[in-house]
Amino acid sequence: MGKQTLDGIKKLMCMFTLVFFVMSLTVASVSAGSNDTYKVEKAKLDTEKAKLEKEKILILKEKAQCEKEKQMWEAQKKKLSTKNKTDKEYQNWLKNYNNFLTKYNKCLNKYKTWETKYNNCLKNYKVLEQKYKK
């Protein structure tokens, strides 16, 4: 009876050893496949970065133009600050100035949105490199 129990324990231990061996092989094959995932994620980030780089040129030109226009409006504001605030010329200028400020704020928001996307893309690059560097 003691021998049957010992044989049963040996059989059970062999099964556990076999199960753990198969599990270790499975884990190794899954981690080997992660290199493909890296390539796919990197290609996706490369595409996104290229798109953002193209947008960068247009957005920076637009921002520079808005800044130049803002300086012009500020110079006019200094000249008109001595005028009577109820004067028709001043009221027309003020209306146009407020329209410009709306346009300027949209320009800044567009730039900030782009900047956020670009910084997130760069951050994702770093995370991807650290994740697959290990």
Side-chain angles (χ1 to χ4, degrees):
M1 180 141 167
K3 186 170 176 148
Q4 285 180 339
T5 306
L6 191 61
D7 286 339
I9 292 174
K10 282 183 183 178
K11 215 183 247 186
L12 189 62
M13 292 303 286
C14 286
M15 284 185 185
F16 278 131
T17 305
L18 183 64
V19 168
F20 285 117
F21 176 72
V22 170
M23 283 177 39
S24 68
L25 289 178
T26 305
V27 169
S29 66
V30 168
S31 66
S34 66
N35 193 22
D36 294 335
T37 306
Y38 170 76
K39 289 178 184 176
V40 169
E41 287 182 35
K42 186 165 182 347
K44 182 179 170 185
L45 285 173
D46 286 339
T47 304
E48 183 181 352
K49 186 177 179 186
K51 177 184 160 202
L52 289 170
E53 288 291 337
K54 286 179 184 177
E55 287 179 12
K56 179 182 184 178
I57 296 166
L58 297 174
I59 288 175
L60 289 178
K61 282 182 183 178
E62 186 178 335
K63 186 180 178 209
Q65 183 181 4
C66 286
E67 291 294 334
K68 188 183 278 188
E69 198 173 337
K70 183 181 179 188
Q71 289 175 353
M72 180 197 70
W73 281 101
E74 293 297 326
Q76 286 180 0
K77 186 177 184 179
K78 285 180 184 178
K79 288 179 187 176
L80 292 173
S81 65
T82 59
K83 286 213 175 224
N84 184 3
K85 305 293 185 206
T86 58
D87 185 31
K88 186 168 180 132
E89 180 185 0
Y90 180 79
Q91 291 298 319
N92 285 336
W93 176 85
L94 186 61
K95 180 182 173 187
N96 291 334
Y97 180 69
N98 287 332
N99 287 339
F100 164 74
L101 286 179
T102 302
K103 178 182 162 188
Y104 180 74
N105 287 334
K106 285 180 184 177
C107 178
L108 284 182
N109 285 338
K110 186 176 179 181
Y111 175 76
K112 287 178 183 176
T113 302
W114 172 85
E115 188 177 38
T116 303
K117 285 180 184 178
Y118 187 74
N119 289 336
N120 284 340
C121 181
L122 293 180
K123 185 178 88 177
N124 289 341
Y125 257 111
K126 289 178 184 176
V127 168
L128 182 68
E129 291 297 325
Q130 288 175 351
K131 182 178 176 183
Y132 288 99
K133 196 174 189 180
K134 294 177 183 177

